[in-house]
């Protein structure tokens, strides 16, 4: 929750600054709105640096894209690996690299698919496909939450806010699907249709040894301990603890000083 709040705050601040610098009509007509907003901001503050605004935004966009693609690649590849372990994808996807332990077959397949789609489609069409598939995925996830709540009979033990969240998610996902143009919908449905044979021809047979490894609690705890220090939320937690400690020391000094004065 904390990490999502930090990221959401960054996005909101960026949008507030962009709309404060330039009218929305200019931003809508621009092909590079962030670069134009950065150039306008630097023009008013540091005119000498204004010509470099486009390069700065381009470098920032490349770094941001690399980070997003890295996280997306890791998550998607392990999703394909988990599906193969459960028997919902070809068993070849469950192969791990003998040295690095990564699902390299899924990574190769994912890279080849992404390259083919990138060569065929444009940036706008790829964004529409991503938004459409995201909406479908979120819609199915929210439906699964409601179905699992009914099966496990936990609906009465959750709060009012938790009850509303899946329905709000359904509405948001439906809006994402509706907002995509008809070309994006057709392209997305075509890609989903290409994946149907893979699902229908899957062995429907679990791999017990791989599944036990995947679900082992000891490995999950080891992964959490090894990587928790790298998350932004962990750094923020340390920062909050440091501030609280400083306040506690200040309060202790004030209390001790007051005690001395009273004595």
């Amino acid at each position: 929750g904390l990490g999502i709040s930090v990221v959401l705050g960054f996005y909101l601040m960026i949008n507030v600054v962009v709309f404060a610098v330039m009218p929305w009509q200019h931003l809508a007509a621009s092909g590079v709105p962030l670069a134009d907003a950065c150039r306008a901001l630097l023009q008013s503050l540091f005119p000498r640096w204004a010509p470099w605004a486009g390069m700065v935004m381009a470098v920032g966009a490349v770094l941001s894209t690399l980070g997003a693609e890295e996280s997306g690649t890791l998550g998607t590849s392990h999703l394909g690996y988990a599906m193969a372990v459960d028997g919902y994808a070809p068993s070849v996807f469950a192969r791990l690299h003998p040295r690095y332990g990564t699902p390299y077959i899924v990574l190769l397949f994912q890279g080849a698919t992404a390259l083919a789609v990138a060569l065929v489609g444009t940036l706008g069409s790829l964004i529409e496909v991503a938004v459409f598939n995201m909406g479908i995925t979120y819609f199915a996830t929210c439906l699964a939450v409601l179905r699992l709540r009914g099966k496990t009979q936990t609906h009465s033990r959750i709060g009012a806010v938790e009850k509303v969240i899946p329905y709000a998610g359904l509405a948001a996902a439906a809006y994402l699907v509706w907002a995509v143009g008809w070309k994006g919908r057709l392209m997305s449905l075509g890609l989903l249709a290409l994946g149907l044979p893979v699902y229908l021809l899957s062995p429907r047979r679990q791999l017990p040894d791989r599944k036990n490894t995947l679900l082992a609690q000891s490995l999950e705890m080891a992964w959490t301990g090894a990587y928790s220090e790298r998350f932004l939320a962990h750094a923020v937690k340390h920062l909050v603890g440091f501030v609280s400690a400083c306040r506690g020391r200040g309060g202790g000094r004030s209390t001790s000083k007051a005690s001395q004065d009273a004595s």
Side-chain angles (χ1 to χ4, degrees):
L2 179 59
I4 295 177
S5 300
V6 172
V7 174
L8 180 60
F10 277 127
Y11 275 108
L12 289 177
M13 286 189 293
I14 291 173
N15 283 275
V16 168
V17 172
V18 168
F19 281 99
V21 171
M22 295 186 65
W24 68 268
Q25 295 88 347
H26 294 176
L27 295 172
S30 173
V32 284
L34 289 179
D36 290 344
C38 183
R39 187 179 298 108
L41 181 62
L42 291 178
Q43 186 67 38
S44 60
L45 298 176
F46 308 101
R48 293 183 179 180
W49 295 96
W52 297 90
M55 182 180 295
V56 171
M57 292 305 302
V59 173
V62 170
L63 294 177
S64 176
T65 302
L66 288 176
E69 288 302 317
E70 180 183 356
S71 61
T73 300
L74 291 175
T76 307
S77 62
H78 283 77
L79 176 61
Y81 171 74
M83 291 178 63
V85 169
D86 276 337
Y88 293 107
S91 57
V92 67
F93 286 174
R95 293 184 183 178
L96 298 177
H97 195 276
R99 179 178 179 182
Y100 301 106
T102 54
Y104 67 103
I105 300 296
V106 181
L107 286 170
L108 291 174
F109 177 79
Q110 178 181 344
T113 305
L115 178 61
V117 174
L119 293 176
V120 173
T122 61
L123 178 60
S125 62
L126 294 179
I127 292 176
E128 287 191 338
V129 170
V131 171
F132 184 90
N133 290 334
M134 186 185 305
I136 293 294
T137 303
Y138 289 164
F139 195 89
T141 303
C142 293
L143 287 178
V145 170
L146 295 174
R147 182 174 177 81
L148 289 174
R149 284 181 180 177
K151 283 187 174 182
T152 57
Q153 297 180 354
T154 59
H155 189 73
S156 59
R157 297 198 298 269
I158 61 177
V161 177
E162 287 79 2
K163 292 180 180 179
V164 176
I165 288 177
Y167 296 101
L170 288 173
Y175 173 76
L176 289 177
V177 174
W178 174 80
V180 175
W182 65 271
K183 290 184 179 180
R185 296 175 190 173
L186 290 178
M187 190 172 180
S188 301
L189 292 175
L191 292 174
L192 290 174
L194 291 177
L196 283 178
V198 178
Y199 173 77
L200 295 175
L201 297 177
S202 58
R204 297 293 197 282
R205 184 177 63 256
Q206 295 184 352
L207 305 177
D209 54 338
R210 295 292 173 83
K211 187 165 186 177
N212 292 334
T213 303
L214 183 65
L215 300 179
Q217 186 176 5
S218 59
L219 291 180
E220 182 178 356
M221 294 178 62
W223 183 92
T224 303
Y227 289 94
S228 62
E229 295 291 338
R230 303 184 184 182
F231 289 109
L232 178 61
H234 196 83
V236 174
K237 181 180 179 181
H238 280 294
L239 180 61
V240 172
F242 175 75
V243 173
S244 300
C246 292
R247 289 181 177 178
R249 292 175 183 175
R253 292 175 182 176
S254 302
T255 304
S256 60
K257 184 176 180 180
S259 300
Q260 293 175 1
D261 294 340
S263 62

